[in-house]
Amino acid sequence: MILYLNYEWNSSCVCISTDHGKEYRPCRSVSAFLNKRCQQEGSTLKGRREAFAQIMTARKHIPILTSIRRRELFMPFGPCSSPDAIWINLGAVSDYHPMESETCITFVNGEHLTIPYRYSVVRRQMERSRLYIDFLS
């Protein structure tokens, strides 16, 4: 299972953190990688963004549902076009809690990731992403 994604500019690869370690895929951006994942399910990244935005009346930091059957929805933390954005898979999150001005995310395999975003920001993104999955189910 994919836990989270980020882009590594020095190697021009998407770093895919899974429950079995890290994989690297040559790709020009995380968006290009996500577009390929969406196309495997019969849609495009643009279509998935538009669907979420319309259903959830959202305008920015749009999560991307790449697969409903795998319950794979990637939430961006940071501007989507930023190379520093981290894309966390909602289905891989088991818990999250505040740590001063950051948030610690615990994944289903027990791995932890601390991201530089306030707990309230992370909670809002998690809650609206879960609402979207529930709406589609």
Side-chain angles (χ1 to χ4, degrees):
M1 168 186 286
I2 296 175
L3 306 177
Y4 63 93
L5 307 168
N6 64 300
Y7 195 74
E8 296 198 357
W9 284 98
N10 55 347
S11 61
S12 298
C13 291
V14 171
C15 177
I16 306 164
S17 296
T18 71
D19 47 358
H20 300 295
K22 293 187 187 249
E23 300 173 17
Y24 296 88
R25 300 264 172 85
C27 210
R28 59 184 168 84
S29 66
V30 172
S31 292
F33 175 81
L34 290 173
N35 191 44
K36 286 180 188 176
R37 302 278 295 188
C38 291
Q39 288 173 339
Q40 291 170 347
E41 297 288 324
S43 185
T44 63
L45 177 64
K46 183 180 178 189
R48 301 289 173 113
R49 273 193 174 125
E50 289 173 358
F52 184 92
Q54 183 178 21
I55 292 168
M56 301 303 291
T57 60
R59 285 180 269 181
K60 58 183 184 174
H61 307 293
I62 305 290
I64 304 301
L65 177 67
T66 56
S67 174
I68 190 71
R69 68 185 155 81
R70 288 190 304 260
R71 298 184 67 86
E72 190 178 83
L73 183 139
F74 291 97
M75 304 170 293
F77 289 94
C80 297
S81 60
S82 170
D84 298 324
I86 297 172
W87 292 79
I88 296 175
N89 180 6
L90 176 67
V93 175
S94 68
D95 189 36
Y96 54 99
H97 60 274
M99 291 183 67
E100 296 176 15
S101 63
E102 299 178 320
T103 303
C104 181
I105 296 174
T106 305
F107 295 101
V108 293
N109 70 342
E111 186 177 326
H112 298 276
L113 175 69
T114 301
I115 58 174
Y117 295 94
R118 290 184 323 275
Y119 177 77
S120 60
V121 171
V122 174
R123 186 183 69 229
R124 184 177 67 89
Q125 184 74 302
M126 296 275 188
E127 287 174 355
R128 75 179 187 161
S129 296
R130 285 193 179 110
L131 280 172
Y132 183 66
I133 290 288
D134 291 346
F135 175 81
L136 296 176
S137 299

